[in-house]
Amino acid sequence: MNATPASAILPSLSFRLGDVSIARIEDYQGPGLSSTGMFPACRPDMWLSHASWLVPHFYDPATDRLRTSIHSWLVTTPRHKILIDCCIGNGKHRPSDPRFHMRNEPWLERLAAAGAHPDEIDFVMCTHFHADHVGWHTRRVDGRWVPTFRNARYLFKRQEFDRWDERRADHVPRESQRFVFADSVLPVVEAGQAVLIDDGHVVDDRLTVEPAPGHTAGNAVIRLRAAGERALFSGDVIHHPVQLPYPELCSVFDDDPALALATRRRVLDAAAASGDLLLPTHFAAPFCCRIEGAGQGYRPRWRAA
Ligand SMILES: [Zn+2]
């Protein structure tokens, strides 16, 4: 891990918004699933119609692979350091996805380069419990999974926690989620660092948890209000920029595609009306944008690097 070149460790995006600083902490950027592997209703003409801005930054026609990113957002306020969505993690047994399986990536070094030691993290928040959002919750020490951020409170939405709690009699398993609750959520509970919260929960007078159901039952977005500036950590409400002109494209990972689509339109309509900066989890560079348009189709206005 120490041989990783510095250029690979440095965070590729950080900026100030109001009285907070925001840094993107990368765990993966590169080829994702095929277009229809991710969005079954995706058609070749969708890429052709928007090739001027989607290709090659977000789609490789030669291989039919989406270009994707998996990153965390570090929010540093005058009082706290807060992590939003904790990516894939290292050493996790993920047999259903080779990209996620038994990784060894310098995510912690990137976090340090962005100015945060794990012990300095005050709050860990996640939009939902999928494997690519909770992985760094824990790391393996002496053969046991322990919380990566030993001084943090981990804020878990009660509804999402219940959805994935495999100890429940009514638990509905998903192959891509095998081992995730046991290695990335339960150890946090056992360490006494989990706090169950509901929609409307506010952190540091700046971050508010809001409902965004569909992708998962308890899926959330996290709204930032910072000294007059506003942004929205939108998680997987929208996975990929092709869903801006075609919001009707639903991913194979949506628990309830119809509800996910209604949520996506509601969130994008509101972002277009308000001018809020949208900070998704999986957009490749330049990672975040403001939204123009309404209803049936949207356009990004990328934030300058
Ligand atoms: Zn995701």
Side-chain angles (χ1 to χ4, degrees):
M1 192 187 289
N2 292 334
T4 306
S7 60
I9 291 175
L10 289 173
S12 32
L13 177 73
S14 65
F15 58 94
R16 284 196 71 80
L17 196 72
D19 63 351
V20 309
S21 67
I22 296 173
R24 171 186 169 274
I25 316 296
E26 180 175 302
D27 206 15
Y28 178 83
Q29 190 176 188
L33 296 181
S34 69
S35 58
T36 51
M38 183 69 175
F39 304 115
C42 197
R43 303 185 311 267
D45 66 273
M46 293 175 167
W47 301 109
L48 286 173
S49 298
H50 297 272
S52 63
W53 63 278
L54 285 175
V55 179
H57 308 290
F58 304 109
Y59 179 65
D60 177 12
T63 58
D64 184 34
R65 293 274 162 180
L66 307 178
R67 185 169 170 79
T68 189
S69 172
I70 299 173
H71 50 251
S72 305
W73 295 106
L74 171 67
V75 179
T76 304
T77 79
R79 289 185 294 176
H80 294 118
K81 292 184 192 298
I82 301 154
L83 264 175
I84 297 177
D85 281 341
C86 275
C87 301
I88 308 160
N90 277 358
K92 303 265 158 124
H93 190 61
R94 300 285 183 261
S96 68
D97 191 332
R99 291 178 308 153
F100 294 1
H101 184 61
M102 300 303 286
R103 303 176 89 238
N104 183 20
E105 291 295 316
W107 183 91
L108 283 173
E109 287 82 345
R110 290 178 185 136
L111 182 66
H117 185 277
D119 293 354
E120 297 176 316
I121 299 297
D122 299 292
F123 294 99
V124 177
M125 307 176 76
C126 64
T127 55
H128 62 296
F129 276 16
H130 277 171
D132 54 333
H133 294 255
V134 299
W136 279 104
H137 279 183
T138 58
R139 55 181 164 180
R140 203 166 176 84
V141 176
D142 297 330
R144 287 179 56 236
W145 292 108
V146 299
T148 305
F149 314 102
R150 59 183 177 178
N151 296 318
R153 277 172 279 175
Y154 289 64
L155 308 182
F156 293 156
K157 248 187 83 174
R158 191 182 318 271
Q159 191 183 4
E160 186 70 359
F161 185 88
D162 288 345
R163 162 66 182 93
W164 299 109
D165 185 353
E166 55 196 18
R167 302 167 302 178
R168 292 170 63 105
D170 61 353
H171 177 65
V172 178
R174 218 180 208 276
E175 179 58 26
S176 58
Q177 288 290 100
R178 261 179 91 196
F179 308 115
V180 172
F181 188 82
D183 64 33
S184 299
V185 178
L186 206 50
V188 176
V189 176
E190 290 169 350
Q193 291 179 245
V195 179
L196 293 185
I197 62 165
D198 295 300
D199 288 318
H201 189 87
V202 178
V203 175
D204 202 347
D205 298 328
R206 289 172 179 79
L207 293 159
T208 307
V209 175
E210 298 182 2
H215 184 52
T216 64
N219 194 57
V221 293
I222 299 168
R223 185 171 301 285
L224 171 68
R225 290 184 183 84
E229 295 282 352
R230 288 170 47 126
L232 189 72
F233 298 95
S234 56
D236 290 2
V237 165
I238 176 166
H239 279 90
H240 188 279
V242 74
Q243 293 170 287
L244 290 171
Y246 304 106
E248 67 273 23
L249 291 177
C250 288
S251 96
V252 292
F253 298 107
D254 291 340
D255 263 1
D256 183 337
L259 184 56
L261 172 56
T263 292
R264 181 159 47 258
R265 285 208 165 107
R266 174 175 60 78
V267 167
L268 292 175
D269 280 346
S274 66
D276 291 358
L277 182 66
L278 198 73
L279 298 139
T281 305
H282 298 309
F283 278 20
F287 311 115
C288 53
C289 61
R290 299 183 195 277
I291 301 296
E292 295 174 345
Q296 298 304 309
Y298 307 88
R299 295 175 304 277
R301 187 150 49 83
W302 299 108
R303 189 189 174 280

